[in-house]
Amino acid sequence: MTVVLESLHRSRDAITPALRTVLDRLDEETRHQAAYHLGWIDADGAPAHGGGKAVRPALALLSAQAVGAPPETALPGAVAVELVHNFSLLHDDLMDGDEERRHRRTVWTLWGPTGAILTGDALLALAQETLLDCGLPTAAAAARLLARATSDLVRGQVQDVAFERRTHVTLEECADMAAGKTGALLSASAAIGAVLAGAPVATVDALALYGSQLGLAFQLIDDVLGIWGDPAVTGKSVHSDLRARKKSLPVTYALNQGGTAGVELASWLSAPGEPDEAELRHAAGLVAAVGGREWATAEAARRMALGEAALRTVDLDAGACDELIALGRFVVDREV
Amino acid sequence: MTVVLESLHRSRDAITPALRTVLDRLDEETRHQAAYHLGWIDADGAPAHGGGKAVRPALALLSAQAVGAPPETALPGAVAVELVHNFSLLHDDLMDGDEERRHRRTVWTLWGPTGAILTGDALLALAQETLLDCGLPTAAAAARLLARATSDLVRGQVQDVAFERRTHVTLEECADMAAGKTGALLSASAAIGAVLAGAPVATVDALALYGSQLGLAFQLIDDVLGIWGDPAVTGKSVHSDLRARKKSLPVTYALNQGGTAGVELASWLSAPGEPDEAELRHAAGLVAAVGGREWATAEAARRMALGEAALRTVDLDAGACDELIALGRFVVDREV
């Protein structure tokens, strides 16, 4: 775990100067909002030390090393995936009405919907510019991978929003949504360094598969934490996803099991009003009773094993491959 | 004029099947909203026959022909610029709170802010995918041109929003905003076919300059129409831009002339409340009195002359060049 944290810090240190240089292309106002969103400054411009773990850039740098290239080869890709990730967070926070992210006010609450929309749009355009300006002969292939992942990411978000309005969602549809919303960009991140390094298609495909399975495993565990996670660890309120009556993967599994518990859960999810703590505990119990928690945990492990097996089918640098696997496990295996 | 309309219809007919094929990649909901926005269907899905003039695709096709390539070479570029244009309209209508476009309800009023944000995001990602998937060796250069134009377009919109909150804007700042918001994508449209055809840099630059000057000229005349245009022709209410107290180019010119009329205009623009017809007529008179209308009209003509002169500095197919100039004049020279 310490090794993974060190590796994450190392890659964050590696991409931060490049990310700063790229953000310098933005107008002052957009750059300010982007820097705030990234945790670099406070709303009033004072330096801050926050921000996410930058898992996607770390995957990108490792994917170049895994095919024997220096991590610098992946730098434009690492910056680009982080930009696309933050584009999606800016728009999602607005659409979901989330007022806080990592215990800080979200951009739309400070600069209005217009700020969040335009800063997101600017980061998306900048991601493509960064890749296409990098001068590598493989830039177009990397840009294509990223454009496709962005389309899948947006489609996943469209599904997520649509599912909130629907009473029935199949487990397959729910997994497809997670594959788009969480898997697509992690998949591109785990492959983009290898694409920039000009690795063979089979190698790129194996890395992409690893990233997509990692994304699904992450989402499954995130959904388990959204119901049963310790608020002190998750930073969210207890039963937060149930409170929002979210059709997460464990809930969708439980609903599709039918039976009396499934029926009771379905009618509880469609009931109006704010549920109290006792109701939330009872609903969480229903999901667990039909095996939703157990299934999600086992499915996450299965996805991780699939992804790791894919890596072993191709010839990769052993050290970088181990780091990729350790990083993936670190991201997924949080305190459940 | 009839020749230009025929040329516009021809290019719209040429790109529509390609645009439909590309939109088929979207999920059903996003495709439905995009098709509605493009005027192909009603909100309930019944076929409709609307939509814009598709000036940008027409420029893209002509720019390939101008360098001696068949218009098909520019097809992915023509589709991509139209997608980026519609991405920006979807987001702008939401941010500006516009409830109608071309006498139809806007996407956000029918499917909520989330619909407009996600459909816009999807079209932007799809634009890059379309170009990068086209298989031409010049695809990356075209995608790069488009990514840069998108960044400039977003920056222009950021400035436009910022200027609404400011009391003073210089004429240079206002022109810079219009260059981004209107000029950048028209510039990319007028050059992207030549880029896809592999034309020399000097030729591409001349075409891009023509497009950017056309964009500025268009915006100047659009601003004149927003104050003095005939509602029967513009489809907007009389004095619409003044009613919105918009710091358009003629208004900014007038404000920067100072004098008693300029000072009166400034205090009128910052006054609260809904202005009545007499006030609007008086404000329009103030702008005209200090030369705002005359300046904008002359400046538009100067920009067009600059753009057309740029075309004459390079070796272009004479017929396509004539069509480019005729199309530009048609777009700019509307009933003032």
Side-chain angles (χ1 to χ4, degrees), chain B residues 16-106:
Chain B
T16 301
L19 200 50
R20 281 190 196 276
T21 303
V22 163
L23 290 189
D24 278 342
R25 293 199 198 177
L26 298 173
D27 65 277
E28 207 182 313
E29 199 173 327
T30 307
R31 189 169 60 240
H32 182 82
Q33 293 177 23
Y36 169 82
H37 170 79
L38 289 164
W40 294 351
I41 55 170
D42 290 339
D44 58 9
H49 300 284
K53 289 185 293 294
V55 167
R56 288 158 194 81
L59 288 171
L61 299 179
L62 283 171
S63 83
Q65 291 174 271
V67 299
E72 300 84 75
T73 310
L75 208 50
V79 168
V81 294
E82 189 66 359
L83 289 171
V84 171
H85 177 55
N86 285 287
F87 138 79
S88 81
L89 296 181
L90 284 160
H91 283 190
D92 284 4
D93 284 344
L94 169 62
M95 291 185 286
D96 298 342
D98 287 336
E99 294 177 5
E100 286 205 352
R101 170 170 297 279
R102 295 187 208 108
H103 309 290
R104 298 168 82 226
R105 293 183 62 189
T106 46

Side-chain angles (χ1 to χ4, degrees), chain A:
Chain A
M1 177 129 153
T2 327
V3 178
V4 174
L5 281 174
E6 270 167 22
S7 153
L8 278 171
H9 288 152
R10 212 165 47 237
S11 72
R12 219 171 91 159
D13 289 348
I15 72 139
T16 301
L19 200 49
R20 281 191 196 275
T21 304
V22 162
L23 289 189
D24 278 343
R25 292 200 199 175
L26 297 173
D27 65 277
E28 207 182 314
E29 199 174 329
T30 307
R31 189 169 60 238
H32 182 82
Q33 293 178 23
Y36 170 82
H37 170 79
L38 289 165
W40 295 351
I41 54 169
D42 291 338
D44 58 10
H49 300 283
K53 289 185 292 295
V55 167
R56 289 159 193 79
L59 288 171
L61 299 179
L62 283 171
S63 83
Q65 292 173 271
V67 300
E72 301 83 74
T73 310
L75 209 51
V79 168
V81 294
E82 189 66 0
L83 290 171
V84 172
H85 177 53
N86 286 288
F87 138 78
S88 81
L89 296 181
L90 284 161
H91 284 191
D92 284 4
D93 284 343
L94 169 62
M95 291 185 285
D96 298 342
D98 288 336
E99 294 176 6
E100 285 206 353
R101 171 170 294 280
R102 297 187 206 107
H103 308 290
R104 299 168 82 224
R105 293 183 64 189
T106 46
V107 164
W108 73 268
T109 68
L110 290 168
W111 292 283
T114 295
I117 294 172
L118 289 174
T119 303
D121 291 348
L123 296 190
L124 181 54
L126 196 56
Q128 285 292 343
E129 259 192 285
T130 303
L131 270 181
L132 293 160
D133 281 355
C134 79
L136 292 172
T138 48
R144 194 177 171 195
L145 177 80
L146 189 66
R148 219 166 259 187
T150 307
S151 289
D152 289 343
L153 174 68
V154 174
R155 181 182 50 75
Q157 176 67 8
V158 169
Q159 288 171 301
D160 198 17
V161 171
F163 292 172
E164 278 174 30
R165 292 189 304 258
R166 280 168 51 179
T167 49
H168 187 71
V169 174
T170 68
L171 194 54
E172 201 188 340
E173 287 175 319
C174 195
D176 187 53
M177 179 271 284
K181 199 173 164 172
T182 315
L185 191 58
L186 282 167
S187 176
S189 303
I192 203 163
V195 171
L196 287 167
V201 175
T203 310
V204 169
D205 285 351
L207 285 159
L209 184 69
Y210 174 69
S212 65
Q213 297 305 315
L214 173 61
L216 280 164
F218 171 83
Q219 194 57 58
L220 283 155
I221 298 304
D222 200 56
D223 285 356
V224 168
L225 289 169
I227 300 176
W228 297 282
D230 179 353
V233 177
T234 62
K236 297 178 185 175
S237 61
V238 67
H239 301 130
S240 61
D241 280 359
L242 283 180
R243 202 180 296 274
R245 301 184 199 272
K246 199 175 144 188
K247 290 185 202 77
S248 64
L249 284 156
V251 169
T252 305
Y253 175 88
L255 288 171
N256 282 282
Q257 294 309 297
T260 47
V263 171
E264 194 188 334
L265 187 65
S267 87
W268 181 81
L269 280 169
S270 59
E274 180 83 10
D276 62 27
E277 294 302 324
E279 281 179 356
L280 290 167
R281 261 196 311 277
H282 181 64
L286 288 172
V287 178
V290 291
R293 180 176 185 166
E294 211 172 324
W295 167 80
T297 315
E299 181 69 4
R302 188 178 75 84
R303 296 288 187 176
M304 284 304 285
L306 267 175
E308 293 176 9
L311 293 183
R312 281 187 289 268
T313 64
V314 288
D315 187 28
L316 298 175
D317 172 272
C321 187
D322 287 348
E323 275 200 68
L324 271 175
I325 290 175
L327 176 58
R329 290 184 184 176
F330 169 79
V331 169
V332 172
D333 292 344
R334 290 164 301 162
E335 198 82 42
V336 180

Side-chain angles (χ1 to χ4, degrees), chain B residues 21 38 55 142 230 239 276 295 314 317 324:
Chain B
T21 303
L38 289 164
V55 167
D230 179 354
H239 301 129
D276 64 26
W295 168 80
V314 287
D317 173 271
L324 272 175

